[in-house]
Amino acid sequence: MKKKIVVPSITEMLQADLAQDLLLNYPRNLVVEHFRKAADISRHQQLTEEAEPKTVSELINEAKRTIEAAYQPTLVRVINATGTVLHTNLGRARLSSKLREELVDIACNYVNVEYTLETGQRGSRYDHLEQTLTKLTGAEAALVVNNNAAAVLLSLTTLAQGKEVIVSRGELVEIGGSFRIPEIMTLGGCLLKEVGTTNKTHRFDYERAIDEDETALLLKVHRSNFSIVGFSESVSLKELKEIGQEAGLPVMYDMGSGSLLSLQQHGLPEEETVQDALAAGADIVTFSGDKLLGGPQAGVIVGKKEYIERMKRHQLTRALRVDKLTIAALEGTLRQYFDEEQAIANIPTLQMLAVSDDVLKAKAETLCRLLSQHDSLAVRLEQGTSKVGGGSMPELELPTWLVSVSPKQMSVTDFVTELRHGKTPVIARTKFDLCLFDVRTITEDELSIVADEVAAVLS
């Protein structure tokens, strides 16, 4: 005898009281789609697995779970417990919490992004940032595009398309995402002219390479994500400027990770600032907004007005322009640099780099105490090192405090996997059979969240 298959109709499911909340909170077509999937699965199970028919309520609850999973945003907040301050995969720089209300207001309302309130006429979106950047850096003019790769591309295309750009062979870098200086030059229509060797480039290498008809630009690139040590030599920016002046050529400096202040007094090594680069004579300096600056993803171009005005008029600029949220986030971050102490206290990147050992240890002790409540964990406080990340200061190891955890009833692989799948995902690092929480990149208010997520995994 043929088995009878019992599956409620979609209409019956839609009319059920239990479905009404779903219809209020989710698009009707999405609800119908998942009701059909739940019904099809039940039908298949009855045919192949001798399963019992499911009630309307059971099918709706199954559909509800899949609807909620399908409708969740893919971009979610995570807790960075790795100790890498500028973690590229986790969004690099955290923005200052002081900007939260301002950014929400900008995001949810109309704003004067290209409108001049004084005259009632159309304005430029770049005016919102230029005055602040020129004040902070001492540059004549400034322009902001969507990242530093775009800043380099726009600068090269505007200043040297169809002409030669001279650069040291030791500075032909590749950064994350396979962004390579030689290939970006080709894309910008420039002719790359390498000088020197991998480890040594001299002043005379540039001087001999200059062709007064073909050379348009001298380019220096900061080796931000690697270093050359030992038998090496390079030409300083100041020397390169002297060469450029003698030949009547502009000098461009791609800093990559631009800093606006020194953190030497907080134990970090001396790092060249944007102001230093301009003072040394660079005509154009490009750098990232989301690295050591501590702002949103952006590419900042500062330097001589005559060159930047040409970039503003270039057709490529529109394709690379920033939106209102980037403008607001970068402007809010830059404003804090007018008071150096305020910047270090309120910009998370600077705060995490400058934080004292005492503060780190106190945070680690708090987390250690919270996690030690679980008998199924072996918890220990230990010293370790953090990384700056984002291709910045690659050799620098920052002393830090770690909370190491060894789960007794599950593997460390399963433990960190479950932490990633929690309500608020926690991204930690592992070492052998240990899970390591580096408190440098965990804020005070996140310590209890980490503890809650660990408790959820253990339960």
Side-chain angles (χ1 to χ4, degrees):
M1 181 178 175
K2 189 175 181 181
K3 183 178 177 181
K4 185 178 180 182
I5 306 300
V6 180
V7 180
S9 70
I10 302 301
T11 300
E12 188 179 354
M13 294 169 69
L14 289 169
Q15 291 173 347
D17 291 341
L18 196 58
Q20 301 317 300
D21 281 345
L22 290 175
L23 291 168
L24 280 172
N25 294 308
Y26 299 99
R28 182 184 177 86
N29 62 341
L30 184 71
V31 174
V32 170
E33 177 190 341
H34 285 267
F35 279 4
R36 283 208 178 97
K37 285 182 180 178
D40 289 343
I41 290 170
S42 177
R43 183 180 294 107
H44 180 75
Q45 288 173 339
Q46 290 177 59
L47 282 169
T48 61
E49 303 173 19
E50 297 185 357
E52 292 296 317
K54 291 183 178 176
T55 66
V56 169
S57 295
E58 287 173 331
L59 290 175
I60 291 175
N61 281 324
E62 286 185 7
K64 180 182 178 182
R65 286 192 290 272
T66 59
I67 289 169
E68 288 173 345
Y71 211 65
Q72 288 296 312
T74 57
L75 199 62
V76 298
R77 175 199 176 175
V78 303
I79 292 177
N80 177 10
T82 68
T84 300
V85 177
L86 297 171
H87 200 305
T88 299
N89 298 341
L90 303 182
R92 287 194 182 155
R94 293 179 63 148
L95 295 180
S96 171
S97 60
K98 288 185 171 291
L99 303 181
R100 184 180 290 116
E101 187 175 332
E102 183 178 329
L103 290 178
V104 169
D105 197 36
I106 293 294
C108 299
N109 293 288
Y110 293 114
V111 297
N112 60 323
V113 64
E114 286 189 356
Y115 185 84
T116 305
L117 295 173
E118 288 78 8
T119 64
Q121 302 296 314
R122 180 170 183 170
S124 168
R125 68 183 54 217
Y126 303 109
D127 292 345
H128 299 283
L129 295 164
E130 186 166 31
Q131 186 176 9
T132 303
L133 279 165
T134 54
K135 271 188 177 181
L136 286 169
T137 64
E140 292 180 6
L143 177 62
V144 176
V145 289
N146 59 5
N147 62 20
N148 189 50
V152 174
L153 175 61
L154 177 61
S155 300
L156 290 173
T157 305
T158 304
L159 303 181
Q161 191 170 42
K163 294 284 190 176
E164 290 179 350
V165 176
I166 300 177
V167 62
S168 167
R169 183 171 282 113
E171 295 173 5
L172 294 177
V173 303
E174 175 181 322
I175 61 170
S178 297
F179 170 78
R180 295 177 172 182
I181 289 294
E183 291 175 12
I184 210 72
M185 280 195 190
T186 301
L187 187 63
C190 306
L191 305 174
L192 167 64
K193 197 167 191 178
E194 302 174 37
V195 295
T197 61
T198 303
N199 62 318
K200 279 203 170 194
T201 301
H202 303 276
R203 179 173 181 143
F204 61 76
D205 290 317
Y206 288 96
E207 292 171 334
R208 290 173 181 172
I210 294 172
D211 182 315
E212 67 176 65
D213 296 321
E214 297 299 325
T215 304
L217 183 68
L218 304 181
L219 174 64
K220 186 169 184 63
V221 182
H222 191 290
R223 295 193 291 259
S224 60
N225 58 359
F226 75 102
S227 59
I228 297 176
V229 296
F231 191 61
S232 63
E233 188 172 334
S234 61
V235 175
S236 69
L237 187 58
K238 185 177 179 182
E239 286 181 285
L240 200 60
K241 178 61 180 177
E242 292 171 358
I243 298 167
Q245 283 180 321
E246 290 170 7
L249 295 172
V251 174
M252 174 179 159
Y253 185 23
D254 172 19
M255 291 190 76
S257 183
S259 176
L260 294 181
L261 58 81
S262 170
L263 292 175
Q264 266 190 292
Q265 68 270 36
H266 295 280
L268 272 74
E270 183 178 5
E271 181 76 5
E272 185 180 28
T273 66
V274 175
Q275 297 92 317
D276 293 334
L278 290 167
D283 298 295
I284 291 294
V285 178
T286 67
F287 56 97
S288 293
D290 60 343
K291 291 186 178 180
L292 291 178
L293 185 65
Q297 177 181 296
V300 185
I301 309 169
V302 295
K304 294 290 177 62
K305 189 178 181 68
E306 62 176 298
Y307 302 124
I308 288 179
E309 287 301 318
R310 284 169 58 188
M311 293 180 207
K312 288 179 182 178
R313 295 191 298 270
H314 199 285
Q315 291 297 310
L316 186 58
T317 301
R318 182 172 177 82
L320 304 176
R321 72 180 186 178
V322 289
D323 71 338
K324 64 178 183 177
L325 283 175
T326 302
I327 293 170
L330 185 56
E331 185 183 25
T333 301
L334 290 169
R335 278 201 310 267
Q336 297 182 71
Y337 275 95
F338 288 114
D339 183 325
E340 189 170 307
E341 289 185 9
Q342 183 187 36
I344 294 172
N346 295 326
I347 297 174
T349 296
L350 302 183
Q351 190 276 327
M352 284 187 274
L353 292 175
V355 63
S356 70
D357 183 76
D358 290 343
V359 171
L360 288 171
K361 188 175 182 182
K363 282 203 294 184
E365 288 172 341
T366 298
L367 183 58
C368 194
R369 186 169 59 252
L370 290 170
L371 299 184
S372 294
Q373 298 173 19
H374 302 287
D375 294 334
S376 57
L377 287 180
V379 183
R380 190 177 66 181
L381 196 67
E382 59 180 76
Q383 291 178 296
T385 57
S386 307
K387 289 285 188 182
V388 178
S392 304
M393 305 180 185
E395 294 184 316
L396 181 62
E397 294 192 339
L398 300 164
T400 193
W401 284 91
L402 309 170
V403 177
S404 73
V405 169
S406 179
K408 298 175 183 178
Q409 297 172 358
M410 62 194 305
S411 70
V412 70
T413 300
D414 289 342
F415 182 72
V416 297
T417 299
E418 290 299 320
L419 282 174
R420 292 201 309 270
H421 295 162
K423 182 181 178 182
T424 304
V426 178
I427 315 299
R429 64 187 204 239
T430 59
K431 179 183 177 183
F432 306 120
D433 60 344
L434 297 175
C435 170
L436 303 176
F437 298 108
D438 188 333
V439 295
R440 180 180 294 276
T441 49
I442 305 174
T443 62
E444 291 281 355
D445 61 328
E446 288 177 335
L447 296 174
S448 59
I449 300 175
V450 173
D452 289 344
E453 293 298 332
V454 168
V457 169
L458 297 177
S459 65

